[in-house]
Amino acid sequence: MCMAYELYYWPTIQGRGEFIRLAMEEAGADYRDVARLPARQGQGVPAMLACLDGASVPHAAYAPPVLRDGDLLIGQTPNILLYLGRRLGLAPRAESGWLWLNQLQLTMADWLTEVHDTHHPLSMNQYYAEQKQAALLRSADFRETRLPKFLDYFTQVLLNSRGQYLVGSKLTYGDLSLFQMLAGLRYAFPQAMARLAPRYPALCALHDAVAARPNIARYLRSKRRIPFNEDGIFRHYPELDG
Amino acid sequence: MCMAYELYYWPTIQGRGEFIRLAMEEAGADYRDVARLPARQGQGVPAMLACLDGASVPHAAYAPPVLRDGDLLIGQTPNILLYLGRRLGLAPRAESGWLWLNQLQLTMADWLTEVHDTHHPLSMNQYYAEQKQAALLRSADFRETRLPKFLDYFTQVLLNSRGQYLVGSKLTYGDLSLFQMLAGLRYAFPQAMARLAPRYPALCALHDAVAARPNIARYLRSKRRIPFNEDGIFRHYPELDG
């Protein structure tokens, strides 16, 4: 008997959990999104917070997302994907392959943190409105220098790949994550991304190829896909889009 | 014949490369710190920049540090440590062990990024002096909320461990990295860290135990250990120390 994977993540945002959800959905894996299930049945956000309590959980994570697979609890998005990649058939088996994929995923994690900091450059304990002036400056820098640099980098990775995906001819969780980065950036910075799009046809093609995969397309149409919103990491504040 | 590992990182700062250097030094590994060697002999910073050039290097990294082991090029600090950990005897062999260690390392990577952003909250393309007002605000938030939260977390990890190290009774690269985090924080925020120290005896003990290991002690006294300075990630600007 195989138990379902359990994902513990905030129930109302895509956030970092979405990178895990996309891998599960593409693979057709059996998983439960625990914090979105009823708290009165021992699930919901209280169950998520309980698994972060280091006083009672030996390997408690610093923050969600957390994946449970039987007795194993795993935190940190790239680490969860490293674990799932092999099991879900979404990563190369050879060490040089999964190391390269992990490296790309870590680079996307850095990129994602920079996206977060466009609207929260000073403190994650304060509201956006309290740090809006700083957010305007950080966002301008992000749009003008950081965003093109990351887009250039992943374009080069695609060019260097021997297949149509980031790591050769077979889809990996890295492609799903890159789709998510591009989808999120289009939501948060529609004008900047529209201006940049003509320079990045390979990235646009990858985005569309992932979105068109049957399991992903079905997921994106479903209620399981939480809409982008202004509580998540990718937020659309028109003033930050320049 | 075993070739030496080659590390490519900025030659005048500890930065992210230091986490790799510490693992090499503890293990007594044969490695060359390429960017610190003479450029006229094909080494130095030009050699580092060359290995970041995606047009000629298929698996070029987004940024240093980069490790070369024979034909393999590996980027992203936690990824390099994941690779080296097993080879240098600085990581558990069981999957559940190295995943947990990788998770802790990724949490330290997040922490390190927050340290960087205390002095560069708005743009890494501008000098500190140009973003000093924002840095004062971000640093206050870091000292008051983020720093204690990370220190609390790693204290709990040590308490939950069945040995004196982060992952049981055997030293791993995670302990070396935690030493580096604490050493760097003491350099950058001496007053804040002095105030907090009495609440974190287990962390202080781990710092001292790592510093006293023969290979590390020898390294810290050597010229190979670049002093902390205001070009690195841990910078001492007294006004940011509150």
Side-chain angles (χ1 to χ4, degrees), chain B residues 2 15-16 29 31 39 52 78 107 141 168 214 233:
Chain B
C2 228
R16 294 175 199 277
Y31 78 104
L52 295 171
T107 305
D141 181 74
I233 297 177

Side-chain angles (χ1 to χ4, degrees), chain B residues 102-188:
Chain B
N102 186 45
Q103 177 174 332
L104 297 175
Q105 192 67 38
L106 291 169
T107 305
M108 285 188 264
D110 290 345
W111 190 5
L112 187 70
T113 297
E114 294 196 23
V115 172
H116 172 271
D117 285 8
T118 58
H119 51 78
H120 275 72
L122 298 184
S123 168
M124 45 189 93
N125 302 302
Q126 291 176 350
Y127 291 107
Y128 163 64
E130 299 175 81
Q131 49 197 309
K132 190 168 162 180
Q133 289 312 308
L136 288 167
L137 296 169
R138 174 112 189 193
S139 295
D141 181 74
F142 177 77
R143 289 192 319 268
E144 288 158 24
T145 74
R146 302 300 293 171
L147 178 55
K149 194 175 172 198
F150 280 107
L151 295 172
D152 285 345
Y153 178 74
F154 283 99
T155 294
Q156 185 70 58
V157 170
L158 278 173
L159 280 175
N160 288 352
S161 167
R162 287 178 197 155
Q164 75 265 44
Y165 296 112
L166 281 175
V167 184
S169 57
K170 197 162 173 303
L171 179 108
T172 67
Y173 63 75
D175 301 296
L176 304 173
S177 296
L178 186 51
F179 157 80
Q180 177 66 11
M181 291 300 303
L182 296 169
L185 288 162
R186 287 179 185 184
Y187 174 80

Side-chain angles (χ1 to χ4, degrees), chain A residues 54-55 57-62 72-76 78-79 82-83 87 95-96 98-100 102-103 106-107 110 113-114 117 120-125 134 137-138 141 145-146 149-150 153 156 160, chain B residues 54-55 57-62 72-76 78-79 82-83 87 95-96 98-100 102-103 106-107 110 113-114 117 120-125 134 137-138 141 145-146 149-150 153 156 160:
Chain A
V57 178
H59 285 189
Y62 184 78
L72 199 58
L73 268 188
I74 309 170
Q76 284 281 0
N79 196 43
L82 190 61
Y83 177 81
R87 285 164 178 79
E95 185 187 39
S96 61
W98 63 252
L99 279 168
W100 174 232
N102 186 45
Q103 177 175 333
L106 291 170
T107 305
D110 290 344
T113 296
E114 295 195 24
D117 284 7
H120 275 72
L122 298 184
S123 167
M124 45 189 92
N125 303 301
L137 296 169
R138 174 114 188 191
D141 181 73
T145 74
R146 303 299 294 170
K149 192 175 172 196
F150 280 108
Y153 178 75
Q156 185 70 57
N160 288 352
Chain B
V57 178
H59 285 189
Y62 184 77
L72 200 57
L73 267 189
I74 309 170
Q76 285 280 358
N79 197 43
L82 190 62
Y83 177 80
R87 286 165 177 78
E95 184 188 38
S96 61
W98 64 253
L99 280 167
W100 174 232
N102 186 45
Q103 177 174 332
L106 291 169
T107 305
D110 290 345
T113 297
E114 294 196 23
D117 285 8
H120 275 72
L122 298 184
S123 168
M124 45 189 93
N125 302 302
L137 296 169
R138 174 112 189 193
D141 181 74
T145 74
R146 302 300 293 171
K149 194 175 172 198
F150 280 107
Y153 178 74
Q156 185 70 58
N160 288 352

